[in-house]
Amino acid sequence: MPIILCFTLLSFNNSSGETFSLSNSISLVGSIKTHIVNKGESLIEIARHYDLGYNEIVDANPEFDPFVPEEGSKVIIPTFWILPEKQNNFHGIIINLSEMRLYYFYKKGKEELVTTFPIGIGDDGVETPLGKFKISHKIINPPWYVPESIKKERPELPAVVPPGPDNPLGTHAMRLSGLSYLIHGTNRPWAVGRKVTHGCIRLYPEDIPQLFDMVPVGTEVIIVRQPVKVAKINNDVYVEVHRDDQLQNFDYLQNAMEQLAKKGILKYVDTFKLYSVIKQKTGIPTSVSIKNKEPQLLLQEPWL
């Protein structure tokens, strides 16, 4: 699968979740684009326009100041993803905390589809829980019943925040079974792609209505932490690596090699390319094939 490089000028009509067909058991979706920075733009605004999280655009462009990127510069838009591991015929939501992204797998007619959205997740000490859940309730214009833990931090808050611009749950919310955690919108769009919640999962204000309308009550939700993903498309092996500070002493290289060996494709991998991708952790699927004719998105820095 070729990596497509596109040059785009920004008009701020924000994008919403991207949908892809999963015909032929495809495991890689999307394409790389490039955006030319206009005067006054920040990476935060550019990320939201392309429906990316803050983490995704910053990790893909580590050489830029995220608040004041140089006007006229080319910014990589990493709308290109290896799909998370799942069972065949799985229909439901997979949330990968390592990349701060949600994938909804579903069937429409006879077509298998996936729609994906960036998310904000729980901060250190109040992490979003891992495991298997279901969507138990759906609420439009939810009131926010302020938890005691947050009341202790912010005693000025009322017991209940009504729907409206000051409500951090946004316009729509979906509750996870057996938990007090929600998948919801936000009144702070900058929080998407960051660890800022008390365990809930936040989507952009323009994304949550779309997901809310698509997902029925009872939908399965699987929350995982998968910083390394691998896939083979035709004759090319791709590896996608996300920096996950929550994983202490995690061996990214060993994990990648184990996944590649399990899929029987380790023999096709250029070790130096694999080392480079592991070191850089850009979050971009990058070819690590021994014989690779695709353009590489590797930074020009010496291997240490």
Side-chain angles (χ1 to χ4, degrees):
M1 176 180 292
I3 299 178
I4 302 172
L5 297 176
C6 303
F7 296 90
T8 309
L9 289 176
L10 187 61
S11 60
F12 274 101
N13 295 318
N14 293 329
S15 300
S16 56
E18 292 200 58
T19 299
F20 303 96
S21 174
L22 299 181
S23 57
N24 301 321
S25 301
I26 193 168
S27 57
L28 228 110
V29 296
S31 62
I32 295 292
K33 305 179 181 71
T34 300
H35 173 80
I36 306 299
V37 177
N38 294 310
K39 184 177 181 180
E41 289 180 350
S42 71
L43 294 192
I44 299 170
E45 295 168 313
I46 296 169
R48 184 177 179 186
H49 174 78
Y50 290 100
D51 208 45
L52 294 169
Y54 176 80
N55 64 311
E56 294 177 295
I57 200 161
V58 169
D59 288 348
N61 298 277
E63 70 276 24
F64 288 103
D65 182 325
F67 302 101
V68 193
E70 184 177 350
E71 182 181 352
S73 299
K74 294 178 186 177
V75 173
I76 294 172
I77 304 300
T79 48
F80 188 42
W81 304 280
I82 295 175
L83 297 175
E85 293 285 344
K86 65 179 182 65
Q87 293 182 346
N88 291 334
N89 301 316
F90 171 81
H91 294 142
I93 292 171
I94 296 180
I95 293 170
N96 186 1
L97 300 182
S98 295
E99 63 177 314
M100 296 191 220
R101 182 157 283 273
L102 179 154
Y103 298 86
Y104 177 42
F105 297 89
Y106 58 102
K107 192 170 185 178
K108 189 172 183 179
K110 295 183 179 180
E111 191 174 16
E112 296 286 343
L113 300 169
V114 62
T115 301
T116 183
F117 303 90
I119 57 174
I121 63 172
D123 201 353
D124 295 338
V126 283
E127 292 87 358
T128 303
L130 302 174
K132 293 183 178 181
F133 312 96
K134 291 184 182 296
I135 299 295
S136 60
H137 299 83
K138 296 173 63 177
I139 313 159
I140 297 177
N141 294 322
W144 182 41
Y145 295 90
V146 183
E148 285 300 319
S149 59
I150 298 179
K151 282 284 287 183
K152 291 178 180 178
E153 298 174 9
R154 300 178 59 191
E156 75 279 5
L157 289 173
V160 181
V161 177
D166 296 326
N167 189 318
L169 301 185
T171 59
H172 299 72
M174 300 185 290
R175 185 173 299 279
L176 298 180
S177 58
L179 297 172
S180 59
Y181 298 112
L182 303 169
I183 300 173
H184 62 81
T186 184
N187 62 345
R188 298 178 178 180
W190 55 264
V192 175
R194 299 176 189 257
K195 297 193 297 182
V196 294
T197 80
H198 280 68
C200 287
I201 296 150
R202 296 186 184 187
L203 279 77
Y204 281 126
E206 58 272 17
D207 283 349
I208 188 62
Q210 180 184 357
L211 181 65
F212 187 94
D213 289 343
M214 296 169 68
V215 174
V217 170
T219 296
E220 186 173 1
V221 178
I222 300 176
I223 304 179
V224 301
R225 192 175 288 280
Q226 188 181 355
V228 180
K229 297 185 290 182
V230 305
K232 184 172 184 289
I233 306 297
N234 299 323
N235 294 321
D236 278 313
V237 177
Y238 287 85
V239 175
E240 176 184 334
V241 184
H242 295 269
R243 191 182 315 277
D244 190 336
D245 295 334
Q246 191 62 38
L247 295 174
Q248 299 296 322
N249 302 317
F250 182 78
D251 193 329
Y252 290 85
L253 179 59
Q254 182 64 30
N255 184 267
M257 294 181 70
E258 288 174 356
Q259 290 192 53
L260 293 163
K262 184 177 179 180
K263 291 179 177 290
I265 54 179
L266 183 57
K267 60 186 177 182
Y268 302 112
V269 170
D270 182 309
T271 304
F272 178 76
K273 291 177 183 176
L274 178 60
Y275 286 168
S276 298
V277 172
I278 295 293
K279 181 186 178 184
Q280 292 158 19
K281 298 180 181 63
T282 63
I284 301 173
T286 305
S287 177
V288 294
S289 301
I290 293 173
K291 294 181 179 180
N292 176 39
K293 298 180 181 179
E294 304 299 337
Q296 291 296 295
L297 293 171
L298 300 178
L299 302 180
Q300 298 302 313
E301 59 175 323
W303 176 254
L304 298 178

